[in-house]
Amino acid sequence: MLTKIYENPAVYRVDVPLPDNPLKNLNCYVIQDSGETLIIDTGFNRKECLDALLEGLAELDADWEKTNLFLTHLHADHTGLAPTLMKDKPGKMYMSRVDYAVLEGLMVGEVWKVSDANFIAEGFTQEQINILHSGNPARGFEPECFFDVEELEDGDVITVGKWKFQCILVPGHTPGQIVPYIRTPEQTFVFAGDVIPLAASVSPEWISAYDTFPVTSYQEKIRLLEEAALERQALIYCHDAYIKCSTVKKVKDFFKKDKTIETQ
């Protein structure tokens, strides 16, 4: 399902289902201007995800000669379809240098092999290891192959048509999660990735069990929220099926969702 979030630049949300997963869905965002397209994140490497994503992109009539892909972080629900989607297409894939190095270790390095050996050393059987493999989306729905990207650093800028997106490193959930900011005359939008995946998770005390570095995640989340509340920035949520975008406000020492941003 395709939903328009904003008019200028044109921002659309493609609802990508995440079957058999508590997250339920990924909001893949697509930005278009002057014939150029930027896709933000992809969903798992599953047919259901690919079908939904391609259906939404077909509705937008994206020109693949001028379409790039931005990956906020390395987790499979955000990167799983990256090489499949961009195969034999000239567009770039963007990812932070830090997370890309971690992804390389997972996909072509010894990370999983070492992890399995540690489990076995602690008494796990091979049968239990196999169950861990089959139940872990990072092992079953990861990208079909390792892939090349243009590596991003904190503060880098990418463009879509006349619009500039500043890439801000927000580590914690992963070592190198990076989120794009776009500043329009009316509003600054923050594609918040898994820093704040849902409107219900605005509170800094809401920390994901998947955060690699929870304390860092907490600190970075407060930094992002302080700026968002002060400057009335709008957060765009990647896993909220109901609220796609909102501002936030600070009440004493607490942060909470404020105004929902509707299509403009």
Side-chain angles (χ1 to χ4, degrees):
M1 183 173 69
L2 188 69
T3 307
K4 195 167 192 178
I5 304 298
Y6 203 72
E7 182 64 41
N8 190 26
V11 180
Y12 301 89
R13 172 247 193 187
V14 180
D15 183 5
V16 179
L18 301 177
D20 309 315
N21 189 278
L23 290 171
K24 301 300 183 185
N25 84 306
L26 171 84
N27 295 328
C28 167
Y29 290 102
V30 183
I31 299 94
Q32 291 188 316
D33 186 69
S34 304
E36 297 182 8
T37 298
L38 180 69
I39 303 166
I40 300 179
D41 294 334
T42 69
F44 286 133
N45 182 15
R46 293 186 60 151
K47 184 179 185 302
E48 301 94 329
C49 300
L50 181 61
D51 288 348
L53 186 51
L54 290 178
E55 181 180 344
L57 292 171
E59 285 189 54
L60 293 173
D61 195 26
D63 180 357
W64 287 104
E65 295 295 316
K66 299 178 180 179
T67 296
N68 298 319
L69 175 63
F70 187 100
L71 302 170
T72 57
H73 62 288
L74 64 90
H75 288 160
D77 56 319
H78 294 258
T79 62
L81 286 170
T84 306
L85 186 66
M86 300 301 287
K87 185 177 182 180
D88 298 326
K89 297 181 178 69
K92 297 177 180 179
M93 289 188 275
Y94 298 103
M95 191 175 188
S96 83
R97 174 187 56 80
V98 176
D99 260 20
Y100 187 61
V102 177
L103 184 65
E104 182 177 17
L106 290 168
M107 296 199 67
V108 299
E110 299 290 317
V111 173
W112 289 122
K113 185 176 179 180
V114 171
S115 175
D116 289 349
N118 288 337
F119 277 117
I120 289 172
E122 294 295 330
F124 278 63
T125 66
Q126 187 58 51
E127 181 180 6
Q128 290 171 322
I129 293 293
N130 293 339
I131 292 172
L132 287 176
H133 290 187
S134 63
N136 185 352
R139 304 292 290 269
F141 305 128
E142 75 277 16
E144 63 180 358
C145 61
F146 192 55
F147 51 92
D148 293 330
V149 304
E150 183 168 312
E151 297 179 16
L152 297 172
E153 301 287 352
D154 185 40
D156 282 352
V157 174
I158 62 175
T159 60
V160 183
K162 65 178 176 292
W163 298 100
K164 294 182 179 181
F165 289 74
Q166 186 175 25
C167 306
I168 303 298
L169 196 65
V170 191
H173 182 65
T174 62
Q177 181 169 219
I178 196 163
V179 300
Y181 284 57
I182 181 169
R183 293 172 170 84
T184 75
E186 298 80 22
Q187 188 83 62
T188 293
F189 291 93
V190 183
F191 294 84
D194 276 357
V195 185
I196 306 174
L198 312 154
S201 61
V202 164
S203 170
E205 284 71 28
W206 190 97
I207 298 295
S208 170
Y210 294 102
D211 285 358
T212 307
F213 304 108
V215 174
T216 300
S217 187
Y218 176 79
Q219 293 168 338
E220 289 294 316
K221 189 174 181 181
I222 289 178
R223 179 175 67 84
L224 185 151
L225 285 167
E226 289 279 8
E227 181 181 295
L230 179 65
E231 299 184 10
R232 304 297 296 161
Q233 296 172 351
L235 305 183
I236 295 181
Y237 305 110
C238 68
H239 285 299
D240 200 316
Y242 305 102
I243 299 171
K244 317 305 184 299
C245 180
S246 80
T247 55
V248 295
K249 63 182 179 181
K250 187 176 184 181
V251 181
K252 295 184 178 180
D253 292 328
F254 298 94
F255 293 92
K256 60 189 297 185
K257 171 192 164 294
D258 192 13
K259 179 185 175 184
T260 298
I261 305 295
E262 304 292 348
T263 303
Q264 298 186 31

